[in-house]
Amino acid sequence: MGIGGTLGVVSLALLGAALLPLATGAAGIALGAAYLMSPAWKLEVVADDSGLEVRSASKQRFRIAWAEVVRVVASPTTQTCFVNGGAPEKSLLVPGVGAPAPYDIADKPALYAAIIAHVPADKVEIVESIEKARAATTS
């Protein structure tokens, strides 16, 4: 959106409203706005006594019972955890507070605590950090 806006301003101010930069700028702004309004930004993660559910306003993305969780890799120091639901489409990364992620989850510490409390201890692997655990498995 920033690049599109810049192209639009440059086109209007310096190039006398040249059509190509103006159209490109407008397209950039429109695509950026569509991306930000996308339903992907409106996901909700709910943990209850029976399982974990990821849903959007219009539909349920997936639900997994606590007993179906294959493994949880958790870092208590960063409050980050990866819930392996047996398939990529049924797995979830809960980024810790301040962790870089392409999405955000409301009340991450409470969700982390709920996952650790509900998943059987033999399925939880405690690590210093998710990044170090991933690096150790790939090397």
Side-chain angles (χ1 to χ4, degrees):
M1 286 180 67
I3 292 172
T6 302
L7 280 170
V9 168
V10 167
S11 171
L12 289 172
L14 301 177
L15 302 175
L19 187 57
L20 182 60
L22 185 61
T24 305
I29 292 171
L31 289 172
Y35 176 71
L36 292 175
M37 293 171 45
S38 164
W41 289 102
K42 297 172 180 80
L43 293 178
E44 180 181 17
V45 181
V46 178
D48 57 29
D49 288 338
S50 61
L52 183 72
E53 180 179 358
V54 177
R55 61 185 176 202
S56 64
S58 62
K59 68 176 184 170
Q60 177 181 322
R61 296 290 179 119
F62 71 86
R63 179 164 184 83
I64 183 166
W66 296 120
E68 295 173 338
V69 172
V70 174
R71 184 174 90 148
V72 172
V73 180
S75 170
T77 56
T78 63
Q79 297 265 301
T80 299
C81 68
F82 175 72
V83 180
N84 182 340
E89 64 274 4
K90 291 185 82 174
S91 298
L92 175 69
L93 174 66
V94 178
V97 177
Y103 53 86
D104 195 19
I105 297 174
D107 203 3
K108 294 180 272 197
L111 180 59
Y112 174 88
I115 291 167
I116 298 303
H118 286 94
V119 174
D122 63 330
K123 292 183 178 183
V124 178
E125 177 185 353
I126 302 295
V127 297
E128 183 181 336
S129 77
I130 300 291
E131 293 81 16
K132 288 181 182 178
R134 186 181 334 155
T137 59
T138 58
S139 59

